[in-house]
């Protein structure tokens, strides 16, 4: 069929990249920071009403699919502080009592954990005493973030989503922890999937983290996971994307950048002003993309209205 994705063929795992010195990282950081939009909204400012209207043309079948994983309440190696959920009503006496009663819930959650799907706001990353755009980190108070909180995207992030599947490109079910996705991988995935990432797009990069977790069980993802190579962020800057989402943390562990444990977060959130979506799940979306022979879709990201929060649990919806 026209537009059908064509794999390039299996690719071997790249050699382990050389470590990145503090000077190299700082030079990359400055290049990206200097290319970022000056708009206080960050990279989502590239999504104009015209982009949203054009993205709506991606809807062909009307099928919807979640890009989020179920929130977990069990303790696992990658989730030592799981979300807590309990029913606070009805009481035992009310369950079978006559009259009206309500089922009620209470939730508690560590938003920025290593298991649950979540959005990182622009106030999430503190680097050299500042937030994105040079905002003073003192705006982070015990009462919450005064600036750049998740409330900045209270109207949602809506646009054209693009999924680049790196395990598919390499002919493997998933990337092993510690592996890096390079800019060359992203370009090759575009060619193999016959899709092109453009300005204002919501870019989703699959490393297979969720499938590996399902097949082999949870592990300590804080210390060992696949992610993007820091230099791959230049691909995102070149394409002027509005958002980055991954099925892992987006950062590789162990990292290769001396002195910076989360270089992709620093480069993405702090330098480029990208909202990041961590620990998504693409296994429901992939077969629909394969069936349709296309890897772009209309997408709606709607974080909770948390006026001073640094992030939010999130359930992105793709509409094909």
């Amino acid at each position: 069929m026209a537009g059908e994705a064509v794999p390039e063929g299996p690719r071997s795992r790249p050699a382990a990249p050389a470590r990145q010195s503090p000077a190299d990282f700082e030079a990359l950081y400055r290049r990206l920071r200097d290319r970022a939009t000056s708009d206080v909204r960050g990279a989502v400012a590239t999504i104009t009403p015209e982009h949203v209207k054009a993205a709506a043309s991606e809807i062909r079948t009307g099928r919807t699919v979640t890009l989020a994983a179920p929130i977990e309440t069990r303790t696992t190696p990658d989730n030592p502080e799981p979300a807590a959920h309990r029913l606070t009503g009805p009481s035992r006496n009310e369950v079978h009592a006559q009259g009206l009663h309500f089922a009620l819930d209470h939730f508690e959650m560590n938003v920025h954990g290593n298991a649950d799907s979540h959005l990182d706001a622009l106030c999430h990353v503190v680097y050299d005493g500042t937030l994105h755009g040079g905002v003073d980190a003192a705006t982070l108070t015990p009462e919450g973030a005064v600036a750049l909180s998740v409330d900045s995207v209270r109207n949602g992030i809506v646009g054209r989503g693009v999924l680049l599947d790196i395990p598919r490109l390499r002919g493997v079910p998933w990337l092993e922890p510690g592996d890096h996705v390079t800019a060359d991988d992203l370009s090759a995935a575009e060619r193999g999937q016959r899709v092109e990432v453009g300005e204002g797009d919501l870019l989703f990069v699959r490393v297979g983290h969720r499938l590996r977790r399902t097949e082999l069980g949870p592990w300590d993802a804080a210390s060992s996971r696949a992610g993007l190579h820091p230099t791959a962020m230049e691909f995102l800057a070149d394409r002027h994307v509005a958002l980055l989402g991954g099925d892992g943390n987006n950062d590789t562990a162990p990292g290769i950048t001396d002195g910076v444990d989360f270089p992709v977060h620093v480069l993405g959130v702090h330098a480029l002003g990208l909202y990041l979506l961590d620990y998504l799940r693409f296994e429901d979306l992939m077969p629909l993309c394969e069936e349709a022979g296309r890897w772009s879709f209309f997408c709606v990201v709607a974080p909770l209205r948390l006026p001073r929060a640094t992030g939010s649990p999130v359930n992105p919806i793709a509409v094909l």
Side-chain angles (χ1 to χ4, degrees), residues 3-263:
E4 184 177 0
V6 178
E8 289 200 339
R11 292 157 58 98
S12 60
R13 176 175 175 172
R19 295 200 65 81
Q20 189 178 44
S21 71
D24 288 340
F25 177 79
E26 188 63 21
L28 175 59
Y29 169 83
R30 290 181 181 276
R31 286 200 304 273
L32 296 180
R33 184 197 60 188
D34 291 345
R35 298 177 63 182
T37 175
S38 60
D39 195 296
V40 295
R41 294 172 294 168
V44 296
T46 60
I47 307 175
T48 65
E50 288 70 29
H51 281 106
V52 176
K53 288 190 290 185
S57 68
E58 296 285 340
I59 302 175
R60 313 283 175 79
T61 66
R63 299 177 73 175
T64 63
V65 59
T66 175
L67 307 186
I71 293 176
E72 297 189 8
T73 57
R74 64 189 181 111
T75 301
T76 56
D78 58 349
N79 199 17
E81 298 178 271
H85 171 223
R86 66 178 186 276
L87 290 183
T88 57
S91 68
R92 285 176 175 249
N93 292 334
E94 293 171 333
V95 170
H96 296 111
Q98 295 296 312
L100 174 66
H101 306 282
F102 292 100
L104 306 171
D105 300 86
H106 177 87
F107 290 97
E108 297 177 23
M109 185 180 187
N110 169 21
V111 171
H112 298 289
N114 289 299
D116 295 320
S117 305
H118 64 270
L119 176 144
D120 293 340
L122 298 186
C123 61
H124 176 53
V125 176
V126 182
Y127 185 63
D128 288 343
T130 65
L131 308 178
H132 170 67
V135 173
D136 193 330
T139 54
L140 297 172
T141 73
E143 291 73 36
V146 176
L148 305 180
S149 77
V150 73
D151 195 54
S152 299
V153 284
R154 59 185 173 274
N155 293 322
I157 303 173
V158 180
R160 176 181 183 253
V162 176
L163 174 65
L164 296 183
D165 189 342
I166 307 307
R168 181 181 186 276
L169 170 73
R170 296 193 190 170
V172 296
W174 54 70
L175 304 193
E176 289 295 341
D179 203 349
H180 288 81
V181 175
T182 67
D184 286 345
D185 285 325
L186 298 176
S187 295
E190 279 187 314
R191 294 191 299 271
Q193 297 173 213
R194 292 186 177 177
V195 67
E196 186 172 343
V197 179
E199 180 177 347
D201 282 350
L202 317 184
L203 175 60
F204 300 98
V205 179
R206 178 177 178 266
V207 298
H209 181 101
R210 285 289 177 186
L211 180 60
R212 187 182 194 276
R213 188 178 189 268
T214 299
E215 295 291 327
L216 303 182
W219 70 95
D220 180 13
S223 61
S224 181
R225 60 182 180 269
L228 272 64
H229 191 282
T231 57
M233 298 305 288
E234 294 203 87
F235 175 97
L236 280 72
D238 290 341
R239 303 307 177 88
H240 302 286
V241 303
L243 172 148
L244 171 64
D247 53 345
N249 173 265
N250 289 299
D251 263 297
T252 307
I256 60 165
T257 304
D258 294 329
V260 181
D261 289 335
F262 295 88

Side-chain angles (χ1 to χ4, degrees), residues 266-283:
V266 174
L267 298 172
V269 178
H270 198 280
L272 289 173
L274 289 170
Y275 286 84
L276 261 58
L277 301 181
D278 295 335
Y279 295 107
L280 300 177
R281 184 179 185 278
F282 301 129
E283 275 60 44

